[in-house]
Amino acid sequence: MVHYATPQSTPPMSPLHASATPRTPGAGAYSELPPLSPRTPRPPITLTAPPSKKKQRRTAARSLRAIRAVRALFRSLPILAPACRFHGVLPRHGGPSRMHDGHVSGASRTTGTLFGYRKARVTLAVQETSGSVPILLLELAMQTGRFMQEMDAEHLRVALECEKKPPGAGAGIGRTRLLDESLWTAYVNGRKIGYAMRREPTEDDLTVMQLLRSVSVGAGVLPNDVMGRDASEGQEAGDLAYMRARFDRVVGSRDSESLYMLNPDGNNGPELSIFFIRI
């Protein structure tokens, strides 16, 4: 006698409670997110150190002694008045001026970088070379995005002023060098924007300088993952924008210096001028 088994009713398949098979993951696999991809590691810092302040002071002292010796020599020479003029050596109209071949005569070359997150404050970094640690890091009281908009003007002039210390308060030989001043009053095209503060480079600052080591002139955006930021942080602060160029550095006196950014083609003169003045 043959017995027939009554078929059991199979419960309906649910997409949230599917049975595990070699090709189909179990129920717990639908509630777990895949692991996040690792962030791009930051590059190792290989920037060279700038010359020590002691070496700079020694060089400045030697230059000052040489200038004084030359002045004393010229003062001892008699003054000779020529009897006639040679028209062949007279300067012509529109002759040599302060600008020569698109560069300021007598200036030293430096690398300047303006960078920062678009919704954060812009930072000015001055380097002797593109592969050295900044000798000056100045944070301006203006958002990077707003500053880049100001750069659309034909000429942009940034004036930074600091106060002289009263006599007897560090004046004389031991007075602070101009670029070592910590607090400045900042003006952009004659409009006061607040203050600028000198600060020491952070890990993020050195990372930016390292990533831009091979860049001499240019502008662009650095991705947030390279800077070690999450997507939420990147949305709040915006992208990190930068602009790098070569500057001509002119030292007027102990209390005044200037930086002139020039076009790569050298035809239209400086687009950005930065003045440091101690008054």
Side-chain angles (χ1 to χ4, degrees):
M1 188 173 184
V2 181
H3 298 279
Y4 294 93
T6 303
Q8 300 291 332
S9 60
T10 304
M13 297 292 291
S14 173
L16 298 180
H17 301 281
S19 59
T21 64
R23 295 185 180 181
T24 307
Y30 291 93
S31 60
E32 296 179 0
L33 296 177
L36 298 176
S37 58
R39 296 179 182 177
T40 304
R42 292 192 177 191
I45 306 301
T46 60
L47 302 175
T48 59
S52 62
K53 296 180 180 180
K54 182 181 296 185
K55 183 177 180 180
Q56 292 179 353
R57 290 177 180 176
R58 288 180 180 177
T59 304
R62 292 175 183 175
S63 302
L64 185 59
R65 287 196 296 266
I67 293 175
R68 289 177 178 175
V70 173
R71 287 180 179 177
L73 177 62
F74 276 101
R75 288 176 181 175
S76 62
L77 296 177
I79 299 176
L80 301 177
C84 60
R85 296 183 178 180
F86 298 93
H87 297 279
V89 298
L90 290 178
R92 298 180 179 179
H93 179 70
S97 63
R98 194 161 175 256
M99 302 293 295
H100 178 69
D101 294 335
H103 302 286
V104 181
S105 59
S108 60
R109 300 292 175 81
T110 57
T111 299
T113 309
L114 290 158
F115 66 96
Y117 293 97
R118 295 188 182 275
K119 298 180 182 179
R121 294 183 177 182
V122 64
T123 300
L124 169 66
V126 179
Q127 301 167 275
E128 293 182 352
T129 62
S130 58
S132 62
V133 178
I135 60 175
L136 174 65
L137 208 64
L138 209 61
E139 184 175 326
L140 304 177
M142 176 179 282
Q143 289 186 355
T144 304
R146 178 67 181 279
F147 190 87
M148 295 303 177
Q149 293 178 358
E150 295 286 345
M151 285 292 298
D152 294 338
E154 183 178 358
H155 295 287
L156 183 64
R157 294 174 176 84
V158 179
L160 301 168
E161 297 180 357
C162 65
E163 296 182 358
K164 285 184 179 180
K165 296 181 180 179
I173 299 177
R175 186 165 59 177
T176 305
R177 294 192 316 120
L178 182 61
L179 296 186
D180 288 341
E181 295 285 352
S182 59
L183 186 62
W184 302 79
T185 304
Y187 300 86
V188 175
N189 285 342
R191 184 180 72 259
K192 184 177 179 180
I193 63 171
Y195 295 94
M197 295 186 62
R198 177 189 173 94
R199 58 180 176 82
E200 295 298 324
T202 62
E203 184 179 358
D204 288 345
D205 299 329
L206 296 179
T207 300
V208 173
M209 298 296 104
Q210 182 66 34
L211 294 173
L212 301 179
R213 182 174 183 177
S214 60
V215 179
S216 58
V217 176
V221 176
L222 296 178
N224 289 320
D225 58 345
V226 176
M227 298 302 301
R229 288 203 165 207
D230 297 331
S232 59
E233 296 177 349
Q235 292 178 357
E236 293 178 359
D239 298 326
L240 191 144
Y242 71 89
M243 183 189 66
R244 167 166 286 190
R246 299 289 291 173
F247 283 77
D248 283 345
R249 179 182 176 185
V250 179
V251 180
S253 65
R254 185 182 296 179
D255 299 323
S256 65
E257 292 190 21
S258 304
L259 296 175
Y260 299 95
M261 187 190 77
L262 306 178
N263 287 331
D265 53 7
N267 293 327
N268 298 328
E271 291 183 348
L272 171 63
S273 303
I274 304 175
F275 305 96
F276 299 88
I277 306 172
R278 184 160 47 194
I279 58 177

